[in-house]
Amino acid sequence: MKRRPVRYVWIPVIIALLAVPAGFLYVDWSKSGAGDGLYSRKWSPESVFAYWNPKAFYTSVETVSGVFGGPQCVNCHQAVTPGIVRDWQASRHAQPADRGPVYCSACHGNNHENLHLPTPEVCGSCHAARHAEFEDEKRFGFPSHALAMERAQDAPHFVDKPKAEVSACLQCHSVATKCDSCHTRHRFSAAEARRPEACITCHSGPPHPDDETYFASAHGRIYLAEGDSWDWSRPLVKGNYRAPTCAYCHMSGGRHQVADKSMWKFGIKQINPLTSNNAVKRKQWVVLCSDCHAADWSRDRLAELDAERKQAWEKLYAAEAVLKGLRKDGLLSPAAGERPPYPNDWLDTLWPRARIGFFEGQASAFYNVSPIERDYFEMWYFDNLGAYKGAAHGDSGAVSQGHAAMDNALKAITHQAARLRSAGEEEQGETAASAELWRSGEYTDFNREHN
Amino acid sequence: MGGSLHKVGKLLLAVWLLHAAGYQPVTAAATDGSFTNDACIQCHAPRDPGLVDAWRASAHARAESRVDCVACHGESHTDAGPRARRDATCSACHGGPTAPVVHSYTTSKHGILLRLEKPDWTQPLAVANYRVPGCAYCHMHAGNHAAGAGVRDWNPLEDTAPGEQDRIQETMRAVCRECHSPRYINSLFSNGERMLSVARMKMREADALLEQAGAEFSADELISARVQMEHMQQHLKNVLLGIGHQSPDYQWWHGQPALDGDLLRIKAALAESRRRHSDRKNTEPTHAPVFKQRIEPGEGETQ
């Protein structure tokens, strides 16, 4: 009698023995499709993806056959692609101080029928330390450069939307899969990548106005006034630059590691600034700021940023509470079940539910939602993140502008919620005609069929 | 002796022919001082007929407030070429640094490298002289004064006729090929075309709704809807600018998700208007015939 429970122990053990390998097999299987990443079986790439994610999608289609040495490449391509050759000739690759030229074939291969586009691994075969720093970012999770491609390709809205539409995403997120986002081809200049402008093609726009907030800060204004006369061949260390630039702080000393000091996670979710982990990161920031400023002064600025974040999250959570209240009472209009489902989300089809806030994945639910949810998305993603970037970069104008916009948005959301409540008391849900309105239309139909 | 007379005769004939053709030899004195547009044309029409004709055919010359020689080159002959090649000359009229048409370029990799490398604007617009293209490099390629005839925007709001599309695109591709590989350019163009057509679908979906809604909306609602449509047009243009100037930010944040927001707000306005109408219908049964037509029994309940 007493031994029976021991016998049952085998049941979970057997289940675990089956389930764990099955889980691994499932993940492997899901990654084996025409696309890339966790949902690779649910999408196929546009041809241009070969250039954004070469490791996954680039295959050579060259028809010129033969095996060529570096000088031969240069001879021929001087006529075919003169701009590229001229860039390379002006680069350090053409005349390294300590070895012979790094020719085309070193990165692209020498068999013309099977050329490849260099990945970070290819660059890393010479620049091993930089590549190792870059890879090391992965330990710290998002946001990071090294994980950027996964972040894009595994996002539900990337999987869900037509690929021609979301190919815009991969241009910036390709910072994970090739090095020329910052060191533009074919000069691959370190001096160029040290300039703040090297970052702003991607670090601009409503959710991350790094360009505007930095250029408006005291640091940025010094850079704008004097930066052109600075010697950009010098490393990013104390004493070489009068004011810091993006890379001076985020890649200090030239370390290709932007994630190790990341505490506030882009402002996208609330963080606890007081964890022991964050205490270590805070110390790193203070050491860095102390290149120019007193340590106490720097600590105060970081505390101001914490306070700004706390204030922002009070506003954001107030708005989230309003939305969750509407969801609970079935007053979101259209309700989750009345909208076009995200084609690839079977859970959403089975159990339609409005996603509200970071942890429910609202960052991917900015379309096919009710206007009040979209208002919150804009408050969270544009106003809040703008305020965060302002606070982090020292642009007080952007902070007050972002907070004023959040105040207005919260007011509008509260007002709209009251209207929905009074309308809802008269009539629940959508009229039949409106259900049709939400579920069909040229783009809506196309999206359903061509994700 | 006879030979040299012959030479002198030839020279005189040549001078006479040139004179008859309106040629005026350029001397230092002739290019000193300041010039009006008419003076520019008078001298350059015979010297550079292709250039002047190209300008005459351009959108610049046909614009309501005509963009003439002096507008870009200034009144002085000194540095007239470099002055016109600079991006700042274009952006002065095209909305300034914050206008989408300018900002989408200045934040692109081309725009950034141009700002950092400060090209020598005294050099003609040829691939050997510029690492990256500025405005004029592409849009007035090789000094072609028919601005907009080569690399130009195609109408974002409606599909271009296929033949015309091919012609425009081939002209543009040829410019890109000076630096980039044909495969890369072809991939970008075909992707850009599809990206734009997706954006147009959003616009058309909203258009179709508004057409229905014309009879359902009140005057105030119609005005708000039209304002939303104006936003939508700008967001659609942003997608095109993002593709043309290779600015991911304009393709995406200023483009596609912004269009998604516009579309759902138009749908919401229409849904709300219908809800109000149906409330009213309960008390005033003869209201809104257009609305009643569209509600067939059982329609919309199928899903």
Side-chain angles (χ1 to χ4, degrees):
Chain A
M1 249 340 240
K2 274 188 179 175
R3 300 182 77 175
R4 200 168 272 171
V6 178
R7 212 185 293 159
Y8 289 131
V9 166
W10 287 106
I11 293 169
V13 170
I14 289 166
I15 289 174
L17 281 174
L18 291 172
V20 169
F24 277 104
L25 280 175
Y26 176 75
V27 170
D28 264 4
W29 175 81
S30 70
K31 285 184 173 177
S32 65
D36 187 36
L38 277 180
Y39 305 104
S40 72
R41 303 189 72 87
K42 302 197 168 195
W43 58 275
S44 348
E46 286 270 298
S47 65
V48 77
F49 289 9
Y51 293 94
W52 311 137
N53 189 354
K55 192 177 174 184
F57 299 124
Y58 188 85
T59 45
S60 178
V61 293
E62 286 299 337
T63 47
V64 176
S65 60
V67 172
F68 299 96
Q72 289 172 296
C73 311
V74 173
N75 267 342
C76 209
H77 276 270
Q78 242 158 358
V80 184
T81 49
I84 290 175
V85 173
R86 230 187 338 270
D87 262 359
W88 174 80
Q89 280 165 340
S91 77
R92 220 178 114 199
H93 279 160
Q95 292 149 317
D98 48 354
R99 50 165 289 171
V102 180
Y103 281 110
C104 321
S105 48
C107 307
H108 294 286
N110 52 15
N111 178 355
H112 210 284
E113 280 175 302
N114 189 26
L115 297 175
H116 42 260
L117 289 187
T119 58
E121 289 72 36
V122 171
C123 304
S125 66
C126 289
H127 303 275
R130 292 306 184 219
H131 183 239
E133 290 161 1
F134 174 77
E135 282 291 309
D136 187 49
E137 283 186 354
K138 292 180 180 169
R139 287 196 291 137
F140 297 91
F142 301 115
S144 90
H145 282 158
L147 292 170
M149 187 52 82
E150 284 175 36
R151 175 68 148 187
Q153 289 180 160
D154 294 346
H157 63 272
F158 178 87
V159 181
D160 181 65
K161 275 178 167 284
K163 291 300 151 291
E165 180 182 353
V166 292
S167 55
C169 311
L170 299 195
Q171 290 178 49
C172 283
H173 286 257
S174 68
V175 71
T177 44
K178 58 199 194 64
C179 298
D180 69 352
S181 301
C182 315
H183 305 276
T184 58
R185 60 188 184 276
H186 280 84
R187 288 222 188 145
F188 311 112
S189 155
E192 177 194 309
R194 288 184 188 118
R195 304 286 299 254
E197 284 85 354
C199 313
I200 70 171
T201 300
C202 295
H203 289 272
S204 59
H208 28 58
D210 297 295
D211 53 343
E212 287 169 18
T213 51
Y214 169 75
F215 289 132
S217 74
H219 293 154
R221 277 181 280 131
I222 294 173
Y223 166 77
L224 286 178
E226 302 176 5
D228 282 347
S229 62
W230 295 347
D231 177 4
W232 293 95
S233 68
R234 302 169 80 180
L236 298 164
V237 294
K238 184 175 179 176
N240 283 348
Y241 294 89
R242 202 195 137 209
T245 53
C246 315
Y248 188 95
C249 296
H250 295 283
M251 303 178 77
S252 67
R255 280 179 64 239
H256 281 43
Q257 159 62 284
V258 296
D260 59 349
K261 293 198 300 297
S262 159
M263 276 172 65
W264 292 272
K265 300 291 175 193
F266 248 64
I268 283 176
K269 59 175 180 176
Q270 193 179 28
I271 56 111
N272 176 0
L274 302 174
T275 61
S276 57
N277 210 352
N278 281 339
V280 174
K281 292 178 178 178
R282 186 177 303 262
K283 211 176 224 171
Q284 285 177 286
W285 278 110
V286 173
V287 168
L288 177 73
C289 302
S290 303
D291 281 1
C292 299
H293 300 285
D296 278 345
W297 187 90
S298 313
R299 266 189 285 272
D300 287 350
R301 298 290 81 71
L302 295 171
E304 277 176 13
L305 174 53
D306 291 335
E308 183 280 331
R309 287 291 79 207
K310 190 159 174 264
Q311 221 184 358
W313 279 101
E314 278 163 15
K315 295 173 192 184
L316 292 166
Y317 283 146
E320 277 190 21
V322 172
L323 259 64
K324 284 178 177 167
L326 289 173
R327 179 174 66 185
K328 187 165 143 269
D329 298 333
L331 291 168
L332 288 174
S333 168
E338 294 164 340
R339 311 166 187 177
Y342 300 105
N344 286 304
D345 193 340
W346 58 270
L347 197 62
D348 186 62
T349 322
L350 283 177
W351 182 41
R353 188 160 188 266
R355 291 145 216 229
I356 293 158
F358 175 84
F359 294 102
E360 295 182 12
Q362 199 188 352
S364 273
F366 54 83
Y367 60 109
N368 288 348
V369 293
S370 69
I372 196 166
E373 290 160 80
R374 173 76 192 200
D375 288 345
Y376 177 63
F377 172 79
E378 290 180 11
M379 173 185 180
W380 170 41
Y381 241 63
F382 303 157
D383 306 335
N384 160 55
L385 297 187
Y388 163 66
K389 293 293 185 183
H393 290 145
D395 172 11
S396 55
V399 177
S400 34
Q401 204 183 330
H403 276 268
M406 276 194 276
D407 292 339
N408 284 338
L410 180 57
K411 238 184 269 174
I413 286 170
T414 314
H415 177 70
Q416 184 61 21
R419 286 185 59 196
L420 286 169
R421 284 193 179 280
S422 67
E425 279 160 21
E426 292 165 25
E427 189 191 349
Q428 286 279 324
E430 290 290 308
T431 63
S434 298
E436 180 62 21
L437 175 91
W438 285 101
R439 279 171 173 275
S440 63
E442 189 176 346
Y443 171 74
T444 307
D445 295 342
F446 183 83
N447 186 187
R448 189 180 300 123
E449 284 141 31
H450 298 83
N451 57 281
Chain B
M1 190 68 182
S4 77
L5 260 179
H6 192 62
K7 270 185 197 160
V8 170
K10 264 189 181 169
L11 190 68
L12 282 172
L13 179 69
V15 168
W16 179 82
L17 278 172
L18 285 169
H19 181 73
Y23 182 84
Q24 289 163 343
V26 179
T27 62
T31 58
D32 275 351
S34 74
F35 297 87
T36 62
N37 196 60
D38 290 343
C40 304
I41 299 284
Q42 199 185 347
C43 218
H44 281 276
R47 291 172 63 84
D48 315 298
L51 187 149
V52 174
D53 287 348
W55 169 74
R56 283 191 175 123
S58 73
H60 278 161
R62 285 179 281 115
E64 200 172 321
S65 61
R66 195 175 65 161
V67 182
D68 58 20
C69 315
V70 171
C72 302
H73 291 279
E75 291 175 356
S76 158
H77 225 270
T78 316
D79 286 338
R83 192 178 299 122
R85 285 180 201 122
R86 279 191 196 108
D87 285 354
T89 303
C90 309
S91 65
C93 285
H94 287 273
T98 55
V101 68
V102 176
H103 193 240
S104 58
Y105 168 78
T106 51
T107 50
S108 75
K109 279 291 171 194
H110 287 155
I112 279 160
L113 294 179
L114 191 95
R115 138 120 181 79
L116 294 184
E117 304 204 349
K118 303 201 171 14
D120 177 4
W121 296 108
T122 63
Q123 300 301 309
L125 297 168
V127 67
N129 301 329
Y130 293 83
R131 185 184 170 209
V132 284
C135 313
Y137 188 96
C138 295
H139 294 287
M140 301 187 73
H141 187 242
N144 179 357
H145 277 56
V151 176
R152 49 160 273 186
D153 55 332
W154 63 89
N155 185 352
L157 302 181
E158 48 195 88
D159 296 321
T160 313
E164 174 70 354
Q165 179 74 286
D166 291 347
R167 188 193 63 74
I168 294 170
Q169 287 203 7
E170 186 38 43
T171 319
M172 287 198 264
R173 283 175 216 243
V175 177
C176 306
R177 276 199 296 267
E178 289 180 354
C179 294
H180 297 287
S181 85
R183 181 184 173 189
Y184 179 61
I185 297 157
N186 292 345
S187 302
L188 281 177
F189 269 80
S190 62
N191 174 254
E193 213 175 296
R194 284 190 291 273
M195 189 188 290
L196 189 61
S197 77
V198 166
R200 287 192 186 117
M201 283 179 204
K202 297 179 186 179
M203 184 89 186
R204 281 197 297 262
E205 183 166 338
D207 266 336
L209 287 173
L210 272 192
E211 213 161 290
Q212 294 175 19
E216 300 178 37
F217 274 159
S218 68
D220 279 355
E221 285 169 336
L222 211 50
I223 289 169
S224 328
R226 288 207 177 115
V227 170
Q228 193 78 59
M229 287 307 283
E230 272 168 35
H231 289 301
M232 212 166 185
Q233 286 190 6
Q234 182 55 55
H235 296 147
L236 182 53
K237 281 182 194 160
N238 288 346
V239 174
L240 175 66
L241 287 170
I243 295 165
H245 289 156
Q246 280 300 292
S247 158
D249 211 28
Y250 274 79
Q251 290 173 18
W252 189 247
W253 289 112
H254 298 294
Q256 299 285 8
L259 286 167
D260 290 332
D262 298 327
L263 180 58
L264 73 86
R265 289 197 166 111
I266 284 173
K267 287 190 173 187
L270 190 55
E272 196 176 317
S273 163
R274 284 183 183 174
R275 194 164 35 234
R276 252 203 320 274
H277 278 260
S278 79
D279 288 349
R280 236 175 290 159
K281 204 176 65 175
N282 295 336
T283 51
E284 302 163 33
T286 54
H287 199 76
V290 176
F291 175 65
K292 278 205 297 196
Q293 267 174 22
R294 205 157 291 112
I295 306 275
E296 299 300 332
E299 197 180 277
E301 292 167 8
T302 46
Q303 310 228 330

